Amino acid sequence: MPGKGCDTLHTLLLRFSAPLQAWGSGSFYDRRETDDMPTKSGVIGMLAAALGRKRDEPLEDLARLGFGVRVDLPGTKLDDFQITDMGDKRNANLSTRSYLSDAVFLVGLECGDMAFLEKLEEALKHPRFCLFLGRRSCPPTLPLVLGIREGALEQTLREEEWLAPEGMRRALFRFTDEIPLRIVIDGAVGDARKKDVPVSFSPLKREYRQRYVREAPAKLMTRWKPPAETEQDPMAELTEDSSISEAAECGFGAKER
């Protein structure tokens, strides 16, 4: 069971990057929205699929994992208007589905049971069912699994290197010298609440409960700047060497025989 077998906290890190992602926590009827970052219910669903669990199997061990997200690239919201042919029905079904385009997230799963995290890591590398980032139309790009780090959730999310591609970094730093990376993790009583912890994925009775969340101080990325100019003359040493050579040619400084 999570939380047992080890006194030291460890964090399994995942990289969520794809052309499209969708993380809905409050979608109803024909309007399917997306949150601005991965939800705990969506990530637990991915873990359950990797482990080969059916929709009506228990999720308590996965729900107890510490959960946090760092927003490395927030992406752009995209709305897709869809018309579905309903067959013999008189009217077609109209719906709007929202996605995050070109977003990159660092997801952390914290647990004191190293063996349990290793089991999840292995399952994600060799999943029993297909994995997707929120919706079936959103497969993840590789690498999905970054590995297990020793340390608490917030510390690990802060210390991991920035996942944005080099070209995107250069483009972003054209407009600013500092880029904050948001970090949102599980909170405590009194913090904000979010209803995205699955109790059951059963199609007969889907059920979710609330959890506390808090926004930790952001990881601040700064543009590299060249060192300030100094008064040092780079040609001085060459001039000095030249003077010594000229003096030697004229016999100055020569040793007596």
Side-chain angles (χ1 to χ4, degrees), residues 185-194 210-215:
I185 61 176
D186 286 339
V189 176
D191 292 326
R193 295 183 180 183
K194 188 174 182 64
Q210 293 183 338
R211 65 183 174 105
Y212 292 101
V213 297
R214 69 179 179 89
E215 185 146 351

Side-chain angles (χ1 to χ4, degrees), residues 132-232:
F132 44 87
L133 302 183
R135 295 195 185 121
R136 293 185 179 88
S137 58
C138 305
T141 61
L142 298 177
L144 173 62
V145 181
L146 299 181
I148 299 174
R149 310 286 191 264
E150 182 177 336
L153 179 62
E154 181 178 348
Q155 170 193 350
T156 305
L157 291 176
R158 192 177 308 283
E159 292 178 350
E160 192 70 13
E161 66 178 23
W162 192 14
L163 301 181
E166 185 62 33
M168 182 60 72
R169 299 185 194 189
R170 290 196 298 268
L172 292 173
F173 278 131
R174 290 176 56 192
F175 307 102
T176 182
D177 291 333
E178 296 182 343
I179 299 176
L181 308 183
R182 292 180 61 198
I183 298 177
V184 179
I185 61 176
D186 286 339
V189 176
D191 292 326
R193 295 183 180 183
K194 188 174 182 64
K195 191 175 182 180
D196 68 343
V197 181
V199 177
S200 172
F201 284 135
S202 172
L204 300 178
K205 185 182 179 182
R206 292 192 178 186
E207 187 177 356
Y208 301 87
R209 61 178 175 82
Q210 293 183 338
R211 65 183 174 105
Y212 292 101
V213 297
R214 69 179 179 89
E215 185 146 351
K219 177 183 176 72
L220 192 62
M221 306 303 301
T222 57
R223 175 165 48 182
W224 179 85
K225 296 181 179 179
E229 295 183 1
T230 65
E231 297 180 358
Q232 179 182 359

Side-chain angles (χ1 to χ4, degrees), residues 37 49 78 88 129 168 171 176 210 239:
M37 66 182 64
L78 181 151
D88 295 335
F129 299 132
M168 182 60 72
T176 182
Q210 293 183 338
T239 303

Side-chain angles (χ1 to χ4, degrees), residues 24-84:
S25 63
S27 299
F28 298 99
Y29 305 109
D30 296 331
R31 179 69 187 181
R32 301 293 180 176
E33 282 288 352
T34 178
D35 287 12
D36 56 2
M37 66 182 64
T39 59
K40 189 167 186 177
S41 58
V43 175
I44 289 179
M46 174 185 285
L47 296 175
L51 293 168
R53 296 188 185 181
K54 304 298 179 60
R55 287 184 174 272
D56 56 354
E57 292 189 45
L59 303 168
E60 290 86 353
D61 54 346
L62 301 176
R64 284 198 292 269
L65 291 167
F67 177 73
V69 178
R70 192 183 76 190
V71 183
D72 282 28
L73 288 176
T76 304
K77 187 177 179 182
L78 181 151
D79 289 329
D80 183 27
F81 179 70
Q82 299 181 353
I83 303 177
T84 306

